[in-house]
Amino acid sequence: MKLISLAEVGIENAAAEVAAGLRQPGAVAVVPTETVYGLIAKVGDEAAFQKIFLLKNRPADKRIGWFAGNAGMLEAHGVILTGLPEKLIQRYTPGALTIIARRGDGATQGFRIPDHPLLAELLRLMDMPLLQTSANCSGMADAGSCGEALSQLSGEVDCAVDGGALPPGACGSTVVDATGSVPKILRQGAVDLNNWH
C-alpha cells in the first residue's frame, strides 16, 4: 500500500499519485473528504467495486454512490438531472449533499459533488465519476482519520492519503431522494434541507 501525506506532497501531487493508482484495474484508495474519510475507485471497474464491499464487510444489497466534478460529468454517464436534482445541485453543491436521481436506464444513482480540494483536483484529472463510500467497516462509526479508516477495513487498499484528523463533530453527507417533485431526506447529515425552497 502506498501512503501519501497531504501535508508533505500537497494537493496537486497527491491527486496525481492517486489518479495514477486508480487507473490500475481493481484499485481502491482511502482519501479525506469534507465530511469523513472515504473509499474511492473508478466507476465501471468491477473488481474495485467488489473489493469495496469486501473491505467494508458491506451487505451486497447496499448501493454505492459516486463523486462527480460537475453536473456535465454526471449527465455524460447517464444520470438525469432535469427538475429537482438540478435545483439541488445549483443550491447546495459543491458540498456534503448526496442526491439520488434517476438514470437513463431506469435505475437510480446517488452522487455528490464534493467540496474538497483534493477530490476536485482528482476528479479533474480522472475526468469521470468515482465510486465513493465511507471508509469504515459497515455498521461502525465513520472514520475521522486515515489511521482509523485503515484499522477498520478488512484488507488492504492500494493507496491512502493522510490528510490529518478531521474536525471534531464531522459527519457524513445528508442523503436526499430527488426522484420525485420534493426532496425526501433519507439520512440527515451535514447539510440542512429544511429551508430548501
Side-chain angles (χ1 to χ4, degrees):
M1 180 194 78
K2 177 182 277 192
L3 183 60
I4 302 162
S5 168
L6 198 54
E8 287 178 16
V9 305
I11 297 288
E12 290 187 6
N13 290 333
E17 285 198 59
V18 175
L22 291 183
R23 291 190 179 103
Q24 305 303 312
V28 177
V30 166
V31 292
T33 79
E34 74 273 34
T35 56
V36 297
Y37 271 77
L39 288 171
I40 57 170
K42 267 175 63 177
V43 162
D45 184 334
E46 186 60 31
F49 180 81
Q50 297 297 338
K51 186 173 179 177
I52 286 173
F53 280 84
L54 294 172
L55 286 165
K56 282 178 63 83
N57 291 319
R58 189 175 174 89
D61 59 346
K62 282 218 170 180
R63 305 290 296 275
I64 289 184
W66 291 358
F67 277 140
N70 52 56
M73 190 181 283
L74 291 159
E75 290 177 321
H77 284 79
V79 182
I80 300 168
L81 301 178
T82 310
L84 184 56
E86 191 170 39
K87 289 178 187 169
L88 292 169
I89 286 171
Q90 287 171 355
R91 175 145 182 195
Y92 294 105
T93 68
L97 181 67
T98 297
I99 300 166
I100 297 171
R102 297 197 186 280
R103 293 169 49 103
D105 60 7
T108 58
Q109 181 61 54
F111 63 84
R112 187 150 87 72
I113 298 174
D115 186 18
H116 190 286
L118 173 68
L119 291 169
E121 176 64 9
L122 181 56
L123 286 159
R124 187 188 71 77
L125 291 173
M126 297 294 290
D127 195 28
M128 65 179 299
L130 296 171
L131 296 169
Q132 60 92 6
T133 182
S134 56
N136 58 309
C137 186
S138 202
M140 290 182 69
D142 291 327
S145 70
C146 186
E148 273 182 35
L150 296 175
S151 68
Q152 282 198 39
L153 298 171
S154 298
E156 193 170 275
V157 294
D158 298 87
C159 73
V161 178
D162 187 345
L166 298 176
C171 65
S173 63
T174 297
V175 180
V176 60
D177 182 343
T179 58
S181 57
V182 294
K184 184 176 165 190
I185 296 171
L186 304 182
R187 181 183 77 191
Q188 184 60 58
V191 173
D192 183 357
L193 282 186
N194 289 328
N195 302 306
W196 80 277
H197 284 292

